């Protein structure tokens, strides 16, 4: 889920028949406010969960990228080591040939 730009304000539109709140203010206003606050809290919790899931996805992808980079570096380093070993083997063979030629 894409995040909103920083200059965007989230708005919750609430529609209600508030006449009953005025008819029975002692019972209805409290119940209405409880439901409104409950809804706001649930939406905020959902938003935080979605945000955390997005953060986890990004972190997971960054970790995977780091692992890929490390694997690639290991491969490159191994190739360098293998090339160094090959060069050393070639030097040893050349040295042996020279020694054999000197003996003959």
């Amino acid at each position: 889920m894409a995040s909103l730009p920083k200059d965007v304000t989230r708005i919750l539109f609430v529609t209600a028949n508030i006449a009953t709140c005025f008819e029975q203010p002692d019972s209805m206003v409290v119940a209405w406010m409880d439901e409104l606050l409950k809804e706001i809290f649930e939406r905020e919790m959902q938003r935080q969960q979605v945000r955390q899931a997005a953060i986890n996805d990004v972190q997971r992808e960054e970790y995977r990228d780091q692992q890929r980079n490390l694997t690639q570096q290991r491969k490159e380093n191994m190739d360098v080591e293998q090339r160094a070993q090959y060069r050393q083997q070639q030097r040893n063979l050349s040295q042996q040939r020279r020694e054999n030629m000197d003996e003959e």
Side-chain angles (χ1 to χ4, degrees):
M1 177 176 191
S3 62
L4 294 174
K6 292 183 180 184
D7 60 344
V8 173
T9 303
R10 293 173 307 156
I11 298 174
L12 175 64
F13 287 102
V14 178
T15 59
N17 180 359
I18 59 168
T20 54
C21 289
F22 292 111
E23 292 170 3
Q24 303 170 350
D26 293 336
S27 61
M28 292 305 294
V29 170
V30 172
W32 191 86
M33 287 302 293
D34 283 347
E35 285 298 315
L36 176 63
L37 293 174
K38 178 181 162 190
E39 182 66 26
I40 291 170
F41 177 78
E42 287 175 359
R43 286 177 181 264
E44 181 62 21
M45 292 302 294
Q46 288 174 343
R47 187 188 72 78
Q48 288 178 2
Q49 289 172 349
V50 168
R51 182 176 181 274
Q52 188 60 49
I55 289 170
N56 291 345
D57 289 344
V58 168
Q59 289 173 338
R60 192 176 303 115
E61 191 58 34
E62 286 174 351
Y63 175 78
R64 287 181 186 147
D65 287 344
Q66 289 173 349
Q67 293 302 311
R68 283 187 210 114
N69 290 339
L70 286 173
T71 300
Q72 184 63 31
Q73 287 174 352
R74 286 184 189 128
K75 286 180 182 177
E76 289 171 2
N77 290 340
M78 186 183 301
D79 291 342
V80 168
E81 290 173 11
Q82 287 174 343
R83 284 189 294 240
Q85 288 175 353
Y86 176 76
R87 279 189 232 116
Q88 186 60 42
Q89 288 172 351
Q90 293 301 315
R91 285 186 210 114
N92 292 343
L93 286 173
S94 295
Q95 181 67 27
Q96 286 175 356
R97 284 188 200 124
R98 273 186 251 126
E99 290 173 0
N100 289 340
M101 289 176 68
D102 288 343
E103 288 177 1
E104 294 175 359

